[in-house]
Amino acid sequence: MELRVTESADTELSIEIGGEDHTFMNVLKGALLESDDVTTATYDMNPEQSGGQTEPILTIKTREGVDPLEALEEAAGTVREKTTSFRESFEAAA
Amino acid sequence: MPGEYDVEFVERGDREARFLVRGATPAFANGIRRAMVADVPTMAIDEVRFIENSSVMFDEQLALRLGLVPLTTPPEGEFVEDDVVTLSLDVSGPATAYSRDLVSGDALVTPAEENVPIIELKEGQRLEVEADARIERGQTHAKHQGGVAVGYRHLQRVEVVGDLEEFEDEESRIVRGVIEDEGELLNAEEFDNDLAKRYPGKEVRVEDVPDAFVFHVETDGSFTVEELVTRAADSIEARADELEEAVQL
């Protein structure tokens, strides 16, 4: 996973996440939107045939005073907690 | 609020199962589904050396067929990328070469399905090959897909809201998937997918239960359904870990 910041401001961040596709990006976006600190979260991905930017670019806007990078870190943690909790519930049922 | 999932099996077998997950967002459910289809690696034959092929098919055609034979995939961590397991096959006609004729160099990696015909050989024809199996993700080639039929539907809640009028014609009301009837989970196939058969003379209301997904998962035999689901969750978790670490730097 290669990260490359394409745009950065106090409460706004655009970051390219290399090697990922909708599988992870949409889960991550969903986790970001669950946070009250995040006002906007979206990602853009183009098909391979487009010939342009094909790696997903994640754009985050946060509330005043919240570092978007920190929001991203927190969201990654949320995704991890979700998967752990899902696996535990699944194994308990299995 | 992350977590707090509730999982319940509706039907379960080694290769095919149906289970309900409550408390999941659509994004998370779809992430798990996509991971099962394209991100959980399985073993499959990737390179074939032909020692003798006097059959009626080209080497390339047979190589494709061999690649599509599902192989059992060892536990996570047992194999890494570029590890190779060699399988050999030697069949002389008149006979049909089946997947069960593949002799594996590793007991962990064997054909998951015994009766896949590879080619029919006539008198005097012979096929002798050596094949290397590799572990890869479904993203690179469909032969590495562990989950062959993976999908989900919303759980549907059925409520009886009243009786039909006395002389009203009964119309069939078709539903698919799994319904919830006063807390009981029921596959719609059990009543022929027709609510009119289960609730004769009643008026019913059907609604989707929010955040409750009924997964239907079928594997190609590489591993059990449970393995597939846990590995899919692991694969998303591994990426979340990687991202968290990368952001901290």
Side-chain angles (χ1 to χ4, degrees), chain B residues 32-46:
Chain B
I32 293 283
R33 181 194 67 84
R34 284 180 61 105
M36 281 195 256
V37 171
D39 289 327
V40 176
T42 74
M43 297 293 289
I45 289 172
D46 197 43

Side-chain angles (χ1 to χ4, degrees), chain A residues 19-91:
Chain A
E20 286 308 331
D21 60 6
H22 297 286
T23 308
F24 182 66
M25 293 310 295
N26 199 38
V27 176
L28 181 66
K29 186 197 77 177
L32 276 163
L33 290 173
E34 279 172 24
S35 161
D36 290 334
D37 290 339
V38 177
T39 55
T40 311
T42 183
Y43 73 94
D44 184 28
M45 232 180 106
N46 298 315
E48 206 147 314
Q49 295 93 324
S50 69
Q53 173 77 35
T54 53
E55 299 290 357
I57 290 183
L58 180 72
T59 304
I60 309 170
K61 286 184 194 168
T62 52
R63 250 182 341 108
E64 206 61 49
V66 179
D67 182 4
L69 210 56
E70 252 161 48
L72 179 60
E73 189 185 329
E74 198 189 302
T78 312
V79 173
R80 200 194 46 231
E81 280 165 28
K82 275 170 182 266
T83 53
T84 314
S85 143
F86 173 73
R87 197 178 42 240
E88 276 166 11
S89 311
F90 182 79
E91 278 168 352

